[in-house]
Amino acid sequence: MSTSLVVSMAFPLLCGLIAVALSRVLRPWSAGIRIAASLRGLVTTLTAAIAVLYGLSLLTDWETKAQVVVLVPLLASVAVASVALTELSWTRHGGPRRSASLHRRPAPIPSGLRIALAAGAVLVTVLALGCGATGDGTRFVRHYAGATGAAEGYPGWSVTLPTLLGCLSLGVLAWWTARCVEARPVRPDLDPADDAELRRVSLERALRPTAAAWLASAALLAGPAGWAIGAATQRLRMVSELAPRSPGDWVQWLGFALVGLCLVLVVAAVTVSMRRAADIGATGAPLSEIERRALAASRRAHTSAAPR
Amino acid sequence: MSDAQITVDLSAAEPPYEQIRTQVAGLIQTGALASGERLPTVRALAGDLGLAVNTVARAYRELEADGLVETRRRTGTVVAEGAAQAAPALGRAAAAYASEAVASGMSEGAAVDLLRAAFRQALGGV
């Protein structure tokens, strides 16, 4: 548990630190978003490979097998860190004379995404605390009139605590990234509406993986918990004639509800992660074209600033 | 919604926070920034100007101390109620004066000195 706990806390933070360090190192010669995009691909591939290898190394017993759920917030952290890296790699203002608008930049988050974030945060917290408090290691044990029914695969503290800490780290990283998106300098060569669109898309690129990871983590806690409750109930009935039976057994219904919740959450997580922000800017041009123009302007800024 | 712009010249003798303060104060006094209008966050303005966050924060603090802006928990920094005191005509006159000074090649310091002298003369004549 302690190793996975440390890794779950350290991994998102490490990704964030790498992102910040790379952006700081590369800023003097970075051409902006192109290099940031290359780095993002590289960091994503490497960290995903490390995460998968880590996950495979855990598949030895029930406890470690269940801890694979921790990988969900870790992988989402990579996606969020890549957005932060992109934002930090934009060319900063140079030269002695600098202008800025006093117009307040709105950072609208779609209401559906806002709901997904809130629901994901609440559900993963409630499920982690609830499962942790009722599990016996990775077992769910049900007692009735001296008889006992137990099932493996229940997410106890050894699973829920690292998951909770991973999700918390992801939330902090997403919050910091949102601040980077807000503070990113306006490109003076871009239409203000297009600049706002680029900012909105960046915000969604950071928040969608966060919401999806929270929902998926909640699903991966609810599903095994529901299944283990059902299995423990069946075993209890096999050893005791007096054990509660359907339809009046609320514990079994709770198990069914958790499995149902798992399915709903999986669908919600996939929907949230698959939905893409609109890729057309406010002026009608594709955002890729707007980014290309921003990149060209960023290059020009570097070129003109270089001889000084 | 405001389209007001501010410019900071790092080569000027006046510190950047003071340049921000005087320009925002001027925009409020002339009504270019209306009461209740939200200003950008300290981090956003610092990012746009390429300045340290503390520089912009100091300008905002001094504007708040002058009663020109106020910071609210939910909305951030906004132009204070009743902060605009000067007539808009004065703002237009100031803008015209500045344009004339720039057109005649006068430096900012010299233009301000001239204005200050005229101001003292006017006070003496009252």
Side-chain angles (χ1 to χ4, degrees):
Chain A
M1 173 192 158
S2 58
T3 307
S4 58
L5 184 67
V6 169
V7 171
S8 70
M9 289 174 64
F11 202 78
L13 292 174
L14 186 65
C15 290
L17 286 174
I18 290 171
V20 172
L22 283 175
S23 66
R24 295 280 173 196
V25 169
L26 292 170
R27 187 176 296 163
W29 55 270
S30 166
I33 51 180
R34 175 177 291 178
I35 286 179
S38 304
L39 281 173
R40 183 171 57 184
L42 184 66
V43 171
T44 305
T45 307
L46 286 177
T47 47
I50 292 168
V52 169
L53 289 174
Y54 171 69
L56 291 174
S57 72
L58 293 177
L59 298 176
T60 52
D61 56 47
W62 268 112
E63 181 168 343
T64 50
K65 195 182 289 185
Q67 284 174 342
V68 172
V69 65
V70 177
L71 292 177
V72 175
L74 298 188
L75 289 173
S77 297
V78 176
V80 177
S82 70
V83 176
L85 175 62
T86 307
E87 292 302 313
L88 290 171
S89 64
W90 280 75
T91 310
R92 306 281 155 171
H93 262 295
R97 281 183 72 82
R98 301 157 183 198
S99 294
S101 169
L102 286 178
H103 168 49
R104 179 103 172 197
R105 289 199 283 266
I109 304 172
S111 57
L113 182 54
R114 204 183 287 267
I115 291 168
L117 283 165
V122 169
L123 284 170
V124 81
T125 305
V126 168
L127 285 165
L129 295 178
C131 291
T134 53
D136 176 12
T138 54
R139 293 195 319 155
F140 181 77
V141 183
R142 195 169 172 194
H143 304 278
Y144 191 83
T148 299
E152 287 285 356
Y154 191 79
W157 282 124
S158 59
V159 175
T160 59
L161 195 57
T163 304
L164 205 52
L165 289 171
C167 287
L168 185 64
S169 303
L170 174 61
V172 171
L173 183 61
W175 171 80
W176 176 71
T177 304
R179 282 172 65 94
C180 290
V181 171
E182 190 209 348
R184 190 259 290 163
V186 171
R187 293 291 328 161
D189 37 83
L190 281 184
D191 184 283
D194 282 341
D195 187 87
E197 281 296 293
L198 282 178
R199 211 177 290 276
R200 180 185 59 75
V201 169
S202 295
L203 195 62
E204 285 202 38
R205 283 176 184 160
L207 296 182
R208 284 196 181 279
T210 304
W214 285 349
L215 291 168
S217 298
L220 291 173
L221 294 178
W227 181 87
I229 288 172
T233 300
Q234 292 300 329
R235 285 169 194 162
L236 178 66
R237 287 175 187 169
M238 281 192 275
V239 296
S240 170
E241 287 292 322
L242 299 172
R245 298 189 181 262
S246 297
D249 185 7
W250 68 268
V251 176
Q252 189 180 26
W253 284 113
L254 177 64
F256 291 151
L258 285 172
V259 172
L261 179 64
C262 169
L263 296 174
V264 171
L265 288 175
V266 166
V267 172
V270 171
T271 305
V272 167
S273 61
M274 292 294 285
R275 282 200 63 171
R276 291 274 181 267
D279 59 353
I280 300 295
T283 50
L287 281 178
S288 55
E289 172 64 19
I290 295 167
E291 282 182 327
R292 194 191 60 73
R293 277 194 279 125
L295 169 64
S298 191
R299 272 211 195 107
R300 280 198 300 275
H302 271 297
T303 309
S304 60
R308 291 176 190 173
Chain B
M1 195 174 289
S2 167
D3 288 330
Q5 293 259 339
I6 58 170
T7 301
V8 172
D9 186 352
L10 296 185
S11 60
E14 196 177 21
Y17 82 86
E18 183 61 18
Q19 294 181 45
I20 297 170
R21 190 196 68 76
T22 51
Q23 287 177 74
V24 175
L27 289 166
I28 293 172
Q29 294 283 2
T30 56
L33 288 172
S35 295
E37 193 157 334
R38 297 169 72 185
L39 295 181
T41 63
V42 169
R43 283 176 58 83
L45 188 56
D48 285 354
L49 290 171
L51 297 173
V53 171
N54 282 342
T55 304
V56 179
R58 180 167 179 190
Y60 274 27
R61 272 201 307 275
E62 300 215 352
L63 286 165
E64 194 164 7
D66 292 342
L68 293 173
V69 303
E70 55 192 29
T71 303
R72 297 174 188 165
R73 187 175 289 273
R74 291 182 66 83
T75 51
T77 305
V78 297
V79 178
E81 291 296 327
Q85 293 169 350
L90 272 181
R92 287 195 293 274
Y97 172 69
S99 299
E100 191 77 18
V102 169
S104 63
M106 189 180 284
S107 71
E108 187 181 329
V112 171
D113 286 345
L114 193 61
L115 183 64
R116 193 171 286 138
F119 199 82
R120 286 187 183 141
Q121 204 169 8
L123 280 176
V126 170

